[in-house]
Amino acid sequence: MTGSYAIHTERVDVTVGDGPPMAGYLARPAAPGTFPGVLVGMELFGVDAGVRDVCDRLAGLGFVALAPDFHHRTAPGTELSRDPTGRKRGFELLESMTRTTVLSDVRAAMDHLHAAGSERVSMVGLSLGGHIAYLAATEFDLVAVAVFYGGWLPTTDISISRPEPTLSLTPKITGRVLFLVGENDHVIPPEQQRQIADALRETDVHHEIVVYPGIGHGFLGTDRITSADAWRRVHTLLTSVEG
C-alpha cells in the first residue's frame, strides 16, 4: 500500500527522563498541519532500513511515525546485519533491556509525538518491537497497536517479559489490538498463538488476530502478497481509531 503524501524525514533526539537523549528516526507528511502519531517498534537489528521504510510508508499514509532506538542505553545507533551474527548480537543487547527502561523509552517517545502536535498515538511493532507494542498497550493510552509477529508474550524468556509474562497483563489494555502472525512462525508456535488468542478473547479488548497460512516469521517486506494484506489491515486499524 502506498500513500498520497510527500514526506519529510529526519533524525531526532528524544528526551528521556532517566538518561541521555534517545535517537530516533522520524517521518511525517510534508504537508502543513498536525497528524496522528505512530510509534514504530524496531526488531532486534535496530532502526535499520526496513524499520525506516515502515516509518516512511506510514508518513505517506498521513501519520507522523517515530522509530525510537531502543538500543540507545547500551549500543546507540546500532544497525545489525540480518544474519546469524547480527541476530546473536541482537539477543545480547536484548538482555540488557528491562521492562522499566523500555517503558520509560516508550513514554518519552509518546511525549515527543504529543509535543509535535499529535494528540493521539498508536504503535506498530515488528517482532521484538511487536512485544514492546503489546507491553506498551498495557501501560499507556495507545489508541491502537498493530503487532507484527511479536514473540515471547506468554513466556519469561526475555528480560522485558519479566517478572510475569507480558501476556498476563492483557486485561490492562485499553486500545485496539491487531495481531498479525504466520502460521509457521518458529518464534510463535501454534500453542503460543492459541494462548495469545485466548488471552485477548477472555478480555474486553477490541482485537483482531490474523494468521497467514503457510507463512513464517518476519514476512513484512519479504512476502509481497502477505505484506500487502497486512498493510491494508494496519491502515484500516489506524484510520478507524482516528475517524
Side-chain angles (χ1 to χ4, degrees):
M1 174 177 288
T2 57
S4 58
Y5 288 92
I7 69 170
H8 170 77
T9 66
E10 61 181 315
R11 305 281 181 163
V12 297
D13 285 330
V14 176
T15 300
V16 179
D18 59 348
M22 171 176 61
Y25 177 82
L26 188 141
R28 62 173 296 130
T34 58
F35 299 89
V38 181
L39 295 181
V40 177
M42 68 186 203
E43 298 177 76
L44 283 171
F45 309 101
V47 183
D48 62 4
V51 175
R52 295 192 296 271
D53 180 66
V54 171
C55 290
D56 293 350
R57 284 174 176 262
L58 288 167
L61 294 170
F63 301 93
V64 181
L66 171 60
D69 177 12
F70 290 115
H71 287 323
H72 77 102
R73 296 172 184 273
T74 50
T78 293
E79 291 187 36
L80 301 170
S81 56
R82 290 174 176 263
D83 57 22
T85 299
R87 188 170 292 104
K88 180 176 182 294
R89 176 58 176 156
F91 274 107
E92 292 171 354
L93 294 175
L94 173 58
E95 279 307 304
S96 68
M97 296 180 183
T98 69
R99 181 170 285 179
T100 299
T101 57
V102 165
L103 288 174
S104 175
D105 292 344
V106 171
R107 173 78 273 176
M110 290 179 66
D111 288 345
H112 189 92
L113 288 176
H114 287 316
S118 297
E119 292 186 10
R120 291 154 67 84
V121 177
S122 299
M123 188 164 183
V124 174
L126 316 173
S127 194
L128 165 63
H131 188 120
I132 293 173
Y134 199 102
L135 173 63
T138 72
E139 187 74 15
F140 303 122
D141 185 24
L142 291 164
V143 292
V145 293
V147 178
F148 281 87
Y149 32 84
W152 312 290
L153 289 171
T155 75
T156 55
D157 292 344
I158 60 174
S159 55
I160 62 173
S161 66
R162 303 174 196 140
E164 68 276 290
T166 298
L167 191 64
S168 70
L169 305 176
T170 299
K172 296 175 63 181
I173 296 175
T174 57
R176 299 188 182 188
V177 175
L178 170 64
F179 194 93
L180 303 160
V181 65
E183 176 187 29
N184 300 333
D185 193 317
H186 68 284
V187 179
I188 314 166
E191 175 56 30
Q192 290 193 16
Q193 293 180 29
R194 285 191 292 272
Q195 288 176 293
I196 294 166
D198 289 345
L200 287 166
R201 208 165 25 236
E202 290 166 3
T203 68
D204 293 328
V205 176
H206 187 292
H207 70 277
E208 179 185 13
I209 298 176
V210 181
V211 179
Y212 292 106
I215 298 297
H217 191 75
F219 57 75
L220 188 65
T222 62
D223 185 283
R224 182 178 60 83
I225 295 175
T226 306
S227 294
D229 181 79
W231 270 112
R232 178 183 63 79
R233 293 176 186 274
V234 169
H235 188 227
T236 297
L237 171 73
L238 297 178
T239 53
S240 67
V241 297
E242 295 301 329

